[in-house]
Amino acid sequence: MQADYAIIGGGVVGLAAGWGLIRRGQKVIVIDGEDGSFRASRGNFGLVWVQSKGLGAPHYARWSQRSARLWHDFAAELGAASNTDLCLEQRGGYDFHLDEASLAAKVRQYEMLREELGGNYPFEVLRSNALRREEPEIGPKVAGAILHHQDGHVNPLRLLRALAADIVARGGHILSGEHVEDVSQPDGFRLTCRSGRVVEAGKIVLSAGLGAMTLGPKLGFKAPVRPQRGQVLITEKLPKMMNRPSGIIRQVDEGGIQIGDSKEEVGLDDRTTIDTTATIAARAVAVMPGLARAQLVRSWGALRVMSPDGLPIYQKSRTMPGAALVTCHSGITLAAAHARLLPAWLEGADDAPDLEKFSEQRFS
Amino acid sequence: MNSAFRDLTPAQQLVPVTLDGDELMLPDGANLAAALLAYGVGVFRGTPVSGAPRAPYCMMGACFDCLIELHGVTRQACMTQVQAGLVITKPKGRDHADG
Amino acid sequence: MQMVDLAVIGAGPAGMTAATMAAGAGLSVVVLDEQPAPGGQIYRAVASGGTARADILGKDYVEGAVLVQGLLASTARHERGAVVWDIAPLDEGFEITFSQESGPSRVAARRLVLATGALERPIPVPGWTLPGVMTAGAGQILLKASGVVAGSAVLAGSGPLLYLLAIQMSRAGAPPLAIVETQSWRDQLRATPRVLGALRGWRTLFKGFGLLAELRGHAIRRITGARNLAIIGTGRAEGLQFTTKGRTQQISCDTVLLHQGVVPNTQASRALGLEHDWHHGQRAFVPRTDIWGESTHRGIFVIGDGAGIAGAKAAVPAGELAALQIAHQAGALDKATRDKKAGAPRKRLEAERSLRPFLEAAYPVAAQVLAPADTTMVCRCEEVTAGEVRKWAALGCKGPNQTKAFGRVGMGPCQGRYCGLTVTEILARSHDMPHSAVGSYRIRMPLKPVTLGELALLEPTDAAE
Ligand SMILES: Cc1cc2nc3c(=O)[nH]c(=O)nc-3n(C[C@H](O)[C@H](O)[C@H](O)COP(=O)(O)OP(=O)(O)OC[C@H]3O[C@@H](n4cnc5c(N)ncnc54)[C@H](O)[C@@H]3O)c2cc1C
Ligand SMILES: Cc1cc2nc3c(=O)[nH]c(=O)nc-3n(C[C@H](O)[C@H](O)[C@H](O)COP(=O)(O)OP(=O)(O)OC[C@H]3O[C@@H](n4cnc5c(N)ncnc54)[C@H](O)[C@@H]3O)c2cc1C
Ligand code: FES
């Protein structure tokens, strides 16, 4: 098989970039791993989130904001093309605090970032009464919440499906159940899969999530990513209980309350544990006491794709010109930027965004 | 109510419960799903996805189609025993959930 | 937390036997079962049903009382109404979390026996979600545990359970209107060469012939070779429609009891990540076990129907074998004694298993169930059709975890119990892949739903604020 671009990894990062490239007239093949491979795109929280991103790194805050701004148009276009409602809502999101001290500390951080961003950081603090007017289910243990108006959420699985469907509808190819083992560049690129299958392409995008740990060095990247586990809970479908999402609790469009998530350094282990799920449940019940009666239907662990500083990596290979590494730990938030802005950077076009600060050089 | 089921051993101790606010008498200690079916309850709930009507399918705690609310908590009727004073609500399903 | 020598999950014939024997060998044993009384599916409520029900259910059913008495007389601790919802391997042994009416508890055990039995095979036919449609097993459970019987029912599908249930309903004075069977005389013919092998399980086989004879006595209408089963009715079942010999017929009824055989309940064995193999005859995944029932994970045994369908008569010797090996591993039984005692149960187990190839051939799963029509719902919980699953397969989904992410099939409260095998069958066909390569859902905790309030009670104390 031959293409202009071979995308290694069909998670939300690879599919968003691939979709954007097709939209610009490129021929694209996406190669994606097995049914059981680690897939952050299948286990994430679904937030299109700005607050708390880029504390001490305003360029990352700006990049997240830019993507959040593009999300509305992106969702409309992709939704219409694939006949899918992505259930995007961008009416703000909360950060709940059980004590005054942690709330005050967060507010100070946000105020600093707001200054660095020239004032574009619209958040407000809601205290008990104001908060309960917005969210009547919030319990008395919550001291207050930060409401950030640039936040929102989306159905991340529908996003994944819509991207795949529209890539295929526009003539792209998705090869799943194939694991790229080796890449050579005799002339163009030659990708060899574990099954023996060979794919040829002019350029490649390495968006294999944690798969970049092994494949990256073969392509001349450091790819310093590591797994970080998050455990997430989902309840039975419930009548509407929340008007906006928070960083730890949100009501998904189908009705379930999704609760997360932990941050654990446990290597390539995506199991759940009672200690952590119980802690997550206890925190959720403290925030919304009514949840105590909700039935937990399922829990899962998923592995984040983390760089050392938590920021995305966009890097073009020096040893294999035409290969690019794209990875991030907020692939949902950044999906709009990856679909709309990144393709120009991959092509080296004039309208490419400046992503210099996100290169791997920062880790040397 | 007219039931599609027959109770072969009806001479049991009956206790009062409420179903959607109405009082009815069910056999003490009986399997709740079986007791409701024998009483003539044909539909247990509407689904949260489409609102479609459902009733017990497997009777062994595996299919989750017999879900009802007991004192506000969703439970499998087929895994519950009748006790005096149970407050049972039939989940209304989607149209309601969208509220 | 206390640590026992053995935890047994499931108090059916397999689990009761293993627990009683292991306790007899001096091991500390806890038995967890979500039902209010021991007995499992076949001997459900055996201790409480009374003699009237015994007359209806037959002599076999009463045999279960002996197993129940054995368990209750043993030193094994039996936890009633205990829903097991998490099992986690520890450095040594396992930790099991379960809920009873009083709340959640945890128990640690050096070894684990999974004896969680069988589930009815998913039967995705048009209308199978309508109120009034149940499994044949459900019809039998109503009779066994509650003395409740459907007044105007049609039994449909295939397998000996349909005959047994028809007889039990007839004895109860409520014979079904008809038995509509999907297997044909061709299937029966194909099965005949296997009768010879099945003769080793002659006791059970003859009982089957006895069943058929009694069934004839009850003069119940039987239709075989039925295809295109569909339940008709708006809002509830009003009848069964099917085709035989090219003609479409309908039978009006209030209740349709469906059956296509039973399959291993692998929720716990999957959640633990045990290796499973595709069993072609049973068209289901079975956990891989050795001759003692030990799985690919040391210290975890899987026995009874959960390890591959072989029936209650096979569940007892399987329980004995597991108990012998567990006692041996725990140092309570030397190798020679273990091997000497293993001879008899092993023979009985083999004999019972030898019957299966015959039954599998004589009562094959209906084609419409293995490859449901596009418009037929396969996932009852999330209301997803076969056509949708095929559409996602065409988008590149090669496994059930991918179709699940794309369209929620398998995401509801039943966690794929009643759609998992169907989705595997559909994907295997769509991609022309072996079932083993397609695989199955990743099962996660909780095995059964638990309230957040209950889960929160287990918060480690040092993490509490
Ligand atoms: C618990 C949790 C919560 C999260 N919440 C949010 C959130 O609310 N908002 C947000 O924006 N982000 C969130 N994220 C992060 C987000 O999910 C990830 O940034 C994103 O999914 C990463 O996508 P990816 O495509 O890089 O990786 P993945 O989804 O992991 O995809 C990588 C793909 O590459 C394939 N692959 C790997 N190696 C190879 C190979 N050699 N050959 C072929 N294919 C290969 C794999 O099969 C896989 O499908 C969360 C993550 C987690 C774990
Ligand atoms: C509905 C039904 C009806 C049947 N009727 C007949 C019949 O009439 N005649 C016949 O010969 N065979 C019948 N069978 C087959 C028969 O049940 C089995 O052959 C036999 O019971 C197998 O015994 P077992 O010990 O393996 O499992 P079972 O007897 O099924 O016991 C498994 C036990 O595990 C418990 N369990 C499962 N999961 C959990 C959990 N997470 N937590 C706590 N407890 C759990 C269950 O409550 C159950 O009591 C039927 C099967 C089914 C499913
Ligand atoms: S009827 Fe299936 S779970 Fe109760």
Side-chain angles (χ1 to χ4, degrees), chain A residues 8-14 31-34 37-41 43-47 178-180 207-209 211 215 230 232 261 302-305 328-333:
Chain A
I8 308 176
V12 71
V13 171
I31 306 164
D32 193 35
E34 289 82 24
S37 63
F38 295 117
R39 289 163 190 263
S41 304
N44 67 75
F45 210 68
L47 299 174
E178 295 283 0
H179 187 92
V180 176
S207 51
L215 215 45
V232 180
D261 45 8
L303 302 179
R304 294 187 190 79
V305 187
C328 70
H329 104 278
S330 283
I332 304 304
T333 306

Side-chain angles (χ1 to χ4, degrees), chain B residues 56-66 76-79:
Chain B
Y57 173 72
C58 75
M59 285 303 293
M60 56 183 286
C63 75
F64 295 82
D65 266 328
C66 64
Q76 292 171 294
C78 75
M79 302 303 289

Side-chain angles (χ1 to χ4, degrees), chain A residues 158-334:
Chain A
R158 289 205 189 178
L159 168 64
L160 206 59
R161 184 179 86 202
L163 285 169
D166 204 39
I167 284 175
V168 172
R170 289 172 188 253
H173 292 276
I174 299 178
L175 294 182
S176 75
E178 295 283 0
H179 187 92
V180 176
E181 265 194 338
D182 206 17
V183 178
S184 60
Q185 197 178 20
D187 182 8
F189 285 96
R190 242 179 100 78
L191 290 74
T192 312
C193 300
R194 195 178 282 160
S195 65
R197 188 163 196 158
V198 169
V199 174
E200 290 176 343
K203 289 183 156 192
I204 55 177
V205 177
L206 178 58
S207 51
L210 293 171
M213 295 193 307
T214 44
L215 215 45
K218 294 185 186 172
L219 297 172
F221 300 111
K222 296 192 192 94
V225 289
R226 68 170 200 282
Q228 186 193 59
R229 183 168 74 190
Q231 298 189 38
V232 180
L233 314 180
I234 185 98
T235 70
E236 62 184 320
K237 298 180 176 70
L238 294 165
K240 193 148 184 78
M241 292 180 80
M242 291 182 87
N243 293 311
R244 297 191 186 90
S246 88
I248 57 162
I249 308 178
R250 73 180 188 107
Q251 185 157 28
V252 304
D253 53 279
E254 293 97 357
I257 303 281
Q258 187 174 326
I259 308 166
D261 45 8
S262 56
K263 296 186 168 60
E264 304 162 81
E265 303 291 338
V266 291
L268 293 172
D269 174 355
D270 70 351
R271 286 177 298 186
T272 60
T273 62
I274 293 272
D275 281 359
T276 302
T277 52
T279 305
I280 291 172
R283 187 180 56 179
V285 170
V287 172
M288 288 171 70
L291 285 179
R293 295 192 302 186
Q295 292 282 1
L296 171 68
V297 171
R298 187 176 166 89
S299 65
W300 65 86
L303 302 179
R304 294 187 190 79
V305 187
M306 283 303 265
S307 66
D309 59 5
L311 273 52
I313 300 175
Y314 305 110
Q315 176 72 50
K316 288 184 177 158
S317 173
R318 277 152 218 253
T319 56
M320 283 197 178
L325 168 68
V326 177
T327 183
C328 70
H329 104 278
S330 283
I332 304 304
T333 306
L334 295 179

Side-chain angles (χ1 to χ4, degrees), chain A residues 69-90:
Chain A
R69 269 201 310 278
L70 288 171
W71 245 105
H72 180 267
D73 268 12
F74 165 61
E77 182 190 351
L78 177 62
S82 61
N83 200 9
T84 310
D85 179 1
L86 301 182
C87 306
L88 174 71
E89 273 184 5
Q90 291 182 291

Side-chain angles (χ1 to χ4, degrees), chain A residues 32-35 39 42 98 157 160-161 164-165 168 174 176-177 233 235 237 254 259 270-272 274-275 277-279 281-282 285 291-302, chain C residues 85-86 89 97 106 382 392 395-402 404-408 411-413 415 438 440 442-446 449-456 458-460 463 465:
Chain A
D32 193 35
E34 289 82 24
D35 190 52
R39 289 163 190 263
R42 214 155 66 179
L98 296 181
L157 299 178
L160 206 59
R161 184 179 86 202
V168 172
I174 299 178
S176 75
L233 314 180
T235 70
K237 298 180 176 70
E254 293 97 357
I259 308 166
D270 70 351
R271 286 177 298 186
T272 60
I274 293 272
D275 281 359
T277 52
T279 305
V285 170
L291 285 179
R293 295 192 302 186
Q295 292 282 1
L296 171 68
V297 171
R298 187 176 166 89
S299 65
W300 65 86
Chain C
W85 50 268
D86 188 61
T97 311
R106 301 163 94 174
E382 297 291 336
W392 304 320
L395 287 180
C397 294
K398 290 211 163 140
N401 295 295
Q402 287 161 287
K404 177 174 173 177
F406 269 34
R408 302 192 58 81
M411 272 196 193
Q415 276 224 34
V438 172
S440 69
R442 170 101 185 251
I443 303 301
R444 295 281 203 170
M445 98 102 185
V450 53
T451 63
L452 289 175
E454 260 183 275
L455 175 57
L458 299 174
E459 185 186 20
E465 281 156 272

